[in-house]
Amino acid sequence: DQQVKQNSPSLSVQEGRISILNCDYTNSMFDYFLWYKKYPAEGPTFLISISSIKDKNEDGRFTVFLNKSAKHLSLHIVPSQPGDSAVYFCAASANDYKLSFGAGTTVTVRA
Amino acid sequence: DGGITQSPKYLFRKEGQNVTLSCEQNLNHDAMYWYRQDPGQGLRLIYYSQIVNDFQKGDIAEGYSVSREKKESFPLTVTSAQKNPTAFYLCASSHPGQGAFGNTIYFGEGSWLTVV
């Protein structure tokens, strides 16, 4: 049973424009959410996180928004750059040691 | 440099063989994890360990075994009982309590296992 869902397997965006990645979850016990970026044949790298007491967290070009009532979070990348082309994973935890991951969204930034 | 080292990067296994993937971290993290990624899918948790000499099954532990004899090391053995072992394996670690909330885990570079 997939508790974290990324329904868009891919996203193509022009360089300089905004990339918006979406993530939905079903477990109401999740209270900490993370985004990871992954290049082919490499391990994921941590990008940004948000706890359930916040609805927004910003770090440079990356902003994560959390809508707890809708069980939805999104990652905004502004402006998108060619180096942002990668697979992005949404993950969530329920204040324990385990993270549940979505299936990932492949972002392609076009020049 | 601090980090998580996985070896080997590429490994080929014959049918019926057990193989062991190594994972070492020098981040002084208490918790360590093994995840598996299949093409087009997310990461699925195999095993995790919160502390030395203790570990728990994740979502897909069947056909795998682990040990945690040292804080720095968390090897994963893929046994012959694992029917579909070809995948990308990721080791990770975390230091619970880092930050105000939540548990951010950090990954190694991964190991490709192929059954031949």
Side-chain angles (χ1 to χ4, degrees):
Chain A
D1 180 27
Q2 190 112 18
Q3 298 185 76
V4 178
K5 298 178 183 179
Q6 295 176 255
N7 292 319
S8 297
S10 63
L11 172 70
S12 180
V13 63
Q14 192 153 14
E15 183 178 0
R17 306 295 288 269
I18 184 171
S19 294
I20 299 177
L21 291 79
N22 293 304
C23 178
D24 297 293
Y25 61 95
T26 57
N27 188 343
S28 59
M29 298 301 291
F30 286 150
D31 60 1
Y32 188 61
F33 305 88
L34 309 90
W35 285 94
Y36 285 85
K37 175 181 179 180
K38 184 181 181 301
Y39 293 116
E42 293 185 9
T45 54
F46 169 71
L47 201 54
I48 192 169
S49 63
I50 188 168
S51 72
S52 58
I53 65 168
K54 295 185 174 181
D55 55 17
K56 177 182 175 181
N57 189 26
E58 196 170 351
D59 184 2
R61 296 186 297 115
F62 302 92
T63 303
V64 56
F65 296 92
L66 175 62
N67 183 335
K68 285 176 290 184
S69 60
K71 293 192 178 68
H72 176 84
L73 65 155
S74 61
L75 174 68
H76 293 206
I77 307 174
V78 182
S80 299
Q81 299 174 352
D84 296 332
S85 294
V87 179
Y88 290 79
F89 289 100
C90 172
S93 74
N95 198 27
D96 60 13
Y97 285 76
K98 298 186 291 182
L99 288 181
S100 296
F101 283 83
T105 297
T106 300
V107 172
T108 302
V109 180
R110 310 185 309 272
Chain B
D1 285 349
I4 302 169
T5 302
Q6 291 186 238
S7 63
K9 179 71 173 179
Y10 300 96
L11 184 61
F12 296 91
R13 189 194 95 170
K14 292 183 179 179
E15 293 280 355
Q17 273 186 339
N18 293 353
V19 293
T20 297
L21 305 179
S22 169
C23 178
E24 303 280 331
Q25 55 99 359
N26 59 5
L27 301 168
N28 199 33
H29 284 171
D30 293 310
M32 297 187 73
Y33 313 79
W34 276 104
Y35 282 87
R36 165 179 172 149
Q37 186 191 15
D38 294 282
Q41 297 190 35
L43 283 64
R44 293 184 290 167
L45 182 64
I46 304 172
Y47 267 98
Y48 66 105
S49 167
Q50 300 177 19
I51 198 169
V52 175
N53 292 322
D54 185 53
F55 49 83
Q56 285 81 40
K57 293 182 179 180
D59 301 319
I60 54 166
E62 185 175 352
Y64 299 97
S65 66
V66 294
S67 63
R68 187 86 188 277
E69 298 177 359
K70 298 186 299 182
K71 186 176 184 178
E72 309 80 43
S73 178
F74 192 41
L76 173 74
T77 296
V78 184
T79 75
S80 57
Q82 170 49 239
K83 299 305 178 189
N84 186 22
T86 296
F88 188 51
Y89 289 86
L90 288 158
C91 179
S93 70
S94 69
H95 182 66
Q98 203 172 43
F101 295 94
N103 178 28
T104 301
I105 71 172
Y106 299 90
F107 287 88
E109 292 297 300
S111 294
W112 282 102
L113 174 62
T114 303
V115 173
V116 297

